[in-house]
Amino acid sequence: MIRKARIEDVKAIHGLLMHREEHEGLVLPRSFSQLYSHLRDFFVVVDDDGKVIGCCALNIIWDNLAEIRSLVVDPVHRGKRLGRKLVEACLSEAVTLGIYKVYTLTEQTAFFAHLGFEPEDMDQLNQKVFTDCLNCPRFPDHCNEVAMIMNL
Ligand SMILES: CC(C)(COP(=O)(O)OP(=O)(O)OC[C@H]1O[C@@H](n2cnc3c(N)ncnc32)[C@H](O)[C@@H]1OP(=O)(O)O)[C@@H](O)C(=O)NCCC(=O)NCCS
């Protein structure tokens, strides 16, 4: 089941994002403080026992721009279309909010292309570069991420 994240999910989300072996270092870690303040950005997928097995966040960047970030599905549960459902939940929320351009920075270009995202020039995402990227330890020389965008 996919639902909006609740406060009791934060430790599990933190676990998914922090365990590099779970996502092969493809997702930036986030502190508890960041997770608490951005909790409303998150969707989670839970199994039948209520365990959080995936997460994804929609981060509003500007007046018509949002970012999909922190997408992880527990390796045991991959290939069940949970990643797709998490991304689609974020896209649906963007439309509800009146935001029609959603991008992600990712090394998983084939996955996002499969979902309909297209490569985008980073120069078109100045708001992102001047907020998060400048503070990222991987920026600029150790970043392998590609910008991909979907116009809704
Ligand atoms: C990327 C990730 C979230 C995908 O989750 P998943 O639940 O296994 O993916 P899904 O089963 O929802 O796949 C959805 C579709 O994409 C396809 N797909 C999955 N991975 C793919 C890949 N690497 N390349 C191309 N297509 C892919 C699937 O075949 C499926 O197609 P369909 O819906 O038409 O049948 C998961 O592999 C993961 O957590 N990876 C590590 C963290 C990561 O890289 N996150 C992204 C950071 S931006």
Side-chain angles (χ1 to χ4, degrees):
M1 179 184 72
I2 292 200
R3 59 164 172 76
K4 289 294 287 185
R6 297 198 284 255
I7 201 77
E8 65 265 26
D9 301 325
V10 167
K11 280 190 182 154
I13 294 170
H14 186 261
L16 283 171
L17 298 178
M18 289 302 287
H19 289 138
R20 291 182 66 82
E21 65 273 19
E22 301 233 322
H23 52 68
E24 300 95 32
L26 293 167
V27 180
L28 285 178
R30 302 192 78 182
S31 66
F32 277 111
S33 170
Q34 289 171 321
L35 292 179
Y36 286 126
S37 58
H38 287 276
L39 181 62
R40 282 170 289 198
D41 292 354
F42 275 86
F43 286 89
V44 292
V45 53
V46 295
D47 68 11
D48 292 342
D49 298 325
K51 183 188 172 202
V52 174
I53 55 173
C55 63
C56 189
L58 182 78
N59 181 32
I60 298 172
I61 300 290
W62 209 248
D63 64 350
N64 188 20
L65 187 64
E67 177 187 20
I68 285 180
R69 58 185 298 172
S70 303
L71 169 64
V72 182
V73 173
D74 183 318
V76 173
H77 295 280
R78 289 187 192 159
K80 300 178 184 173
R81 292 191 144 176
L82 300 178
R84 175 191 276 279
K85 286 178 187 158
L86 283 163
V87 171
E88 288 174 350
C90 289
L91 296 176
S92 173
E93 184 171 62
V95 171
T96 301
L97 291 166
I99 298 170
Y100 301 105
K101 206 190 285 187
V102 175
Y103 74 92
T104 190
L105 299 183
T106 186
E107 296 181 38
Q108 297 276 13
T109 52
F111 171 77
F112 281 99
H114 189 73
L115 298 192
F117 285 72
E118 295 177 350
E120 175 65 292
D121 193 340
M122 272 299 278
D123 292 346
Q124 303 300 314
L125 299 172
N126 282 338
Q127 296 100 331
K128 171 68 180 174
V129 173
F130 289 120
T131 51
D132 287 347
C133 292
L134 285 183
N135 293 312
C136 177
R138 294 185 189 164
F139 183 81
D141 293 341
H142 301 286
C143 176
N144 299 318
E145 294 183 335
V146 172
M148 300 198 70
I149 199 154
M150 180 178 291
N151 289 297
L152 295 160

